[in-house]
Amino acid sequence: IEICENHSIEDAVEFVEMWMAFSISCLGGAEPTVINLGDFERKEIIGKRVLQRDAASRPKGDSVGRPSGDMLKIYSGGTAEEQPREKILDIYSCYSPKPHQAEAKTRPGGVEGIFSPASYSPLTTPKDKTGDEKSGKVVYTFGSGQLLQSLVWESSKNGQEIPIVQLPLNIHNEILGMEERYMYESISEKSWLAGRHFDDIASGICSRAFTEDVDENNGEELSEVDEHSQDVIRCVGRVCPEKDSVRLSATSTILIGSSKDEIHSVDLDFSRIQSVALFPGQIVLAKGMNPSGGTLFLRQVFAERYWDPPCVPKQLTQPLRLLIASGPFAENNDLICEPLQDLMAQCKQLKPDVLILIGPFVDVNNSCIADGLLAESFDSFFQKLIQGVVSSVGEHVEILIVSSQRDAHSSMVYPTEPYSIPNKPKNVTFLPDPCCVEISGVKFGITSTDIVRHIAEEEFTKNVAVDQVKRIVGYLINQKSFYPLDPPADGVNLDTMLSERFAKLRTVPHVLVLPSDLKCFARDVNGVLAVNPGRIVDTKRGTFARLVVTPPGEGANPKDYMACRIMRV
């Protein structure tokens, strides 16, 4: 204590670190006796001040290990004069290092982005786009030829009010909020929820299968999945890999069913079925023979239920123009958010009525975030991004912000709660992942989780000619879930109870927005427009989607009243 008072040392942690380094290097780890502390004070504390005084008196051009000119800025805000501590500790050859502190580099030309975090300059130069495709280039188009020719893409800004209503995803009309508890579930509760969802989906699939595939001998009778039978049987179950560590294949796929008392499972043999497409967690009705009780030789698999396409939005009286973009919004090795600035420039030019931005915004996979180089809180940086977006596009554009479990300031649990910021602008609406929202009578289903890629990587197919995108969108609708994959992909921290309440696709939307790392698309899937706008950050220029919904006629198809263009940023 006397040493600290004599030399005005206020940081106890730093004092202990200095003593430990001195003790290990010079005293062989001896205890802090009076004699040892005297040596420590003389050599460490006083010696350090001598070096600081010498460094201050030395001309700038003669600084050891420092070039002449202005001192480099350090992440912590310190200067080069704070470095002698490291030099004096080098004498003892052993000390406790402090966390890595990156030296800041200014952006060429002194250009500072409006989305740049505080006290931070990018560690790399801006991305060279000389070889990229032209900004604004259309890479994908959806809509009838007549609609595309007659359509006016830019908004007239006639001051029309855009009503936005978030729709509940469960029968109790609940909406996911900030107060929900997560990862707070028991095995019995998870089992009960899984069983209830299984019964719901299985009953819908059986209803359609029994109508389209009439069995005169057995009627609507169902068997256990492992029932011995020389005749053709029908059973319902959940598709699973034989082991968690393997993918579905012709030799490693099983069907799990249940009775009131126990769980049953059976191996699936695909040698006698012409075509099939399955993914882990899918609930199906299987038809085949099981002569031994251990293997079901499949004849047919039913995985679809009856569902009606959404009714045309009669409330829509004027064209609705939207711009949809998905993050991340910064290159992986900086946080300058240059792609987001380019998107805002496009937004000013295209003048949409609604701007939908889908996370991640503060991506945990960004190397600057992972290395701890952000000199402000994640919440503060996110707030700065939102304020920058509002200031760029103005208050006349409705802005929807969809959360992502990849955001560093989120709970990192799926479903992910909506965000909030102080003094939220009136034209900003925060939405959870996933969510359903009605905009001027048009229903949108939106998720930031890449379910398309996750299913595509785990899916098993045999002689299937159906378009993969349409097939995967069909999975979501038939399984009534934004995330039907079970077990979930690595990195998806799925909460079963929250998923049952806030991630079910109980209402078929007009538009299903499914951002993915896979190639961008816009497809009509039985009356539902499925859109992957791509990512703002890509190996070339990223992409975003422009969508125009016009007042539809009675019984119109999506192509007749919806047009979509996916464009380069």
Side-chain angles (χ1 to χ4, degrees):
I1 296 176
E2 183 180 349
I3 294 176
C4 293
E5 292 178 348
N6 292 340
H7 299 284
S8 301
I9 299 176
E10 299 179 355
D11 189 346
V13 175
E14 182 177 2
F15 178 80
V16 172
E17 287 182 348
M18 294 171 65
W19 160 254
M20 292 297 296
F22 177 80
S23 175
I24 294 173
S25 301
C26 302
L27 305 177
E31 296 293 327
T33 63
V34 175
I35 297 177
N36 291 340
L37 286 174
D39 292 339
F40 168 72
E41 179 183 16
R42 183 175 62 260
K43 296 179 180 178
E44 178 70 7
I45 306 297
I46 299 176
K48 176 180 178 179
R49 292 192 172 182
V50 171
L51 286 178
Q52 288 179 328
R53 187 169 56 252
D54 292 343
S57 61
R58 186 183 298 117
K60 291 184 178 180
D62 297 331
S63 298
V64 179
R66 289 281 180 187
S68 58
D70 296 336
M71 290 179 288
L72 296 177
K73 295 181 179 179
I74 306 299
Y75 166 87
S76 61
T79 64
E81 292 181 356
E82 296 175 351
Q83 302 307 310
R85 173 186 175 274
E86 297 183 4
K87 296 176 182 178
I88 190 65
L89 292 181
D90 286 343
I91 299 174
Y92 304 115
S93 72
C94 178
Y95 69 99
S96 301
K98 286 197 169 184
H100 172 69
Q101 296 175 328
E103 295 183 350
K105 300 178 183 178
T106 57
R107 191 175 184 181
V111 180
E112 294 296 335
I114 59 174
F115 302 105
S116 303
S119 304
Y120 177 87
S121 296
L123 300 179
T124 58
T125 58
K127 184 179 178 181
D128 183 11
K129 298 181 181 178
T130 54
D132 288 354
E133 296 186 45
K134 184 179 178 181
S135 175
K137 178 181 179 181
V138 178
V139 297
Y140 200 99
T141 302
F142 173 88
S144 65
Q146 181 179 359
L147 178 63
L148 292 172
Q149 290 178 2
S150 61
L151 198 61
V152 178
W153 289 88
E154 285 74 21
S155 175
S156 59
K157 298 302 176 190
N158 51 15
Q160 63 171 320
E161 184 179 352
I162 308 293
I164 299 175
V165 180
Q166 184 179 349
L167 303 177
L169 297 178
N170 58 52
I171 59 177
H172 302 293
N173 294 326
E174 297 175 309
I175 292 177
L176 180 60
M178 297 288 293
E179 72 283 353
E180 294 292 340
R181 297 183 300 181
Y182 51 87
M183 295 302 173
Y184 195 85
E185 56 192 5
S186 65
I187 295 178
S188 59
E189 288 174 325
K190 292 177 66 174
S191 177
W192 181 80
L193 290 172
R196 188 176 69 171
H197 180 67
F198 179 91
D199 293 339
D200 179 31
I201 302 302
S203 62
I205 293 174
C206 289
S207 177
R208 178 168 180 171
F210 292 152
T211 302
E212 299 180 354
D213 182 55
V214 179
D215 189 334
E216 297 180 356
N217 296 324
N218 298 320
E220 298 183 359
E221 181 181 350
L222 290 174
S223 304
E224 300 291 349
V225 296
D226 58 349
E227 179 176 325
H228 296 244
S229 177
Q230 299 294 332
D231 300 321
V232 175
I233 62 172
R234 293 188 291 194
C235 55
V236 292
R238 188 186 298 272
V239 177
C240 296
E242 190 175 30
K243 299 178 181 178
D244 290 341
S245 58
V246 300
R247 296 180 58 182
L248 295 186
S249 69
T251 59
S252 64
T253 303
I254 63 175
L255 188 68
I256 297 180
S258 63
S259 63
K260 294 182 179 179
D261 301 323
E262 56 185 342
I263 300 295
H264 304 267
S265 66
V266 65
D267 295 335
L268 296 181
D269 186 289
F270 299 93
S271 61
R272 302 180 186 181
I273 192 171
Q274 293 183 350
S275 65
V276 68
L278 302 171
F279 69 90
Q282 185 179 15
I283 300 169
V284 299
L285 170 63
K287 180 179 179 180
M289 296 178 61
N290 190 358
S292 65
T295 302
L296 179 63
F297 293 85
L298 291 175
R299 297 287 185 86
Q300 197 170 359
V301 173
F302 300 91
E304 296 183 351
R305 60 179 179 86
Y306 286 123
W307 55 276
D308 298 323
C311 299
V312 295
K314 296 181 180 179
Q315 303 96 314
L316 189 65
T317 58
Q318 297 181 358
L320 175 66
R321 297 170 175 83
L322 304 99
L323 191 151
I324 306 171
S326 178
F329 295 95
E331 300 290 345
N332 185 56
N333 57 355
D334 71 37
L335 289 174
I336 206 67
C337 294
E338 187 178 6
L340 181 56
Q341 297 181 54
D342 295 339
L343 178 67
M344 292 302 99
Q346 290 274 8
C347 193
K348 287 182 179 180
Q349 178 182 354
L350 302 177
K351 302 177 181 178
D353 301 312
V354 180
L355 171 64
I356 301 178
L357 297 180
I358 305 169
F361 299 89
V362 189
D363 190 7
V364 294
N365 295 330
N366 187 293
S367 61
C368 296
I369 297 293
D371 294 341
L373 302 182
L374 185 63
E376 60 183 321
S377 69
F378 299 138
D379 290 319
S380 174
F381 179 43
F382 173 71
Q383 182 178 356
K384 181 181 295 184
L385 291 179
I386 301 304
Q387 292 172 343
V389 169
V390 174
S391 65
S392 297
V393 303
E395 296 184 354
H396 58 276
V397 177
E398 293 292 335
I399 303 173
L400 307 186
I401 305 296
V402 181
S403 59
S404 169
Q405 62 169 331
R406 279 176 52 183
D407 274 315
H409 65 296
S410 74
S411 63
M412 299 187 183
V413 172
Y414 181 89
T416 310
E417 78 286 353
Y419 301 139
S420 64
I421 61 173
N423 303 318
K424 182 181 75 69
K426 294 181 179 180
N427 62 324
V428 174
T429 301
F430 291 107
L431 298 170
D433 172 36
C435 63
C436 275
V437 60
E438 185 176 279
I439 307 174
S440 295
V442 183
K443 295 179 181 178
F444 290 79
I446 310 173
T447 180
S448 61
T449 304
D450 195 350
I451 182 59
V452 175
R453 179 173 63 86
H454 293 170
I455 290 183
E457 291 175 348
E458 299 295 333
E459 184 186 33
F460 166 70
T461 61
K462 176 184 177 182
N463 300 329
V464 177
V466 180
D467 178 86
Q468 186 183 50
V469 170
K470 291 186 176 182
R471 193 167 62 245
I472 293 177
V473 174
Y475 290 155
L476 305 187
I477 296 175
N478 284 301
Q479 300 289 309
K480 291 185 179 181
S481 175
F482 278 98
Y483 201 91
L485 187 65
D486 186 19
D490 292 341
V492 178
N493 305 312
L494 188 141
D495 184 292
T496 304
M497 294 188 66
L498 292 182
S499 179
E500 178 66 23
R501 295 167 58 196
F502 303 113
K504 297 305 178 186
L505 193 56
R506 302 188 185 278
T507 302
V508 180
H510 297 96
V511 182
L512 199 53
V513 183
L514 304 170
S516 176
D517 294 333
L518 302 182
K519 187 177 180 181
C520 56
F521 58 78
R523 300 275 207 285
D524 176 6
V525 183
N526 295 341
V528 177
L529 174 59
V531 179
N532 169 22
R535 304 289 188 185
I536 287 298
V537 175
D538 201 351
T539 52
K540 296 182 179 180
R541 285 185 181 269
T543 57
F544 65 94
R546 294 180 67 190
L547 177 65
V548 178
V549 186
T550 60
E554 195 68 33
N557 294 320
K559 283 190 175 182
D560 298 329
Y561 69 95
M562 287 193 283
C564 181
R565 285 178 176 173
I566 299 179
M567 308 170 62
R568 294 289 179 190
V569 180

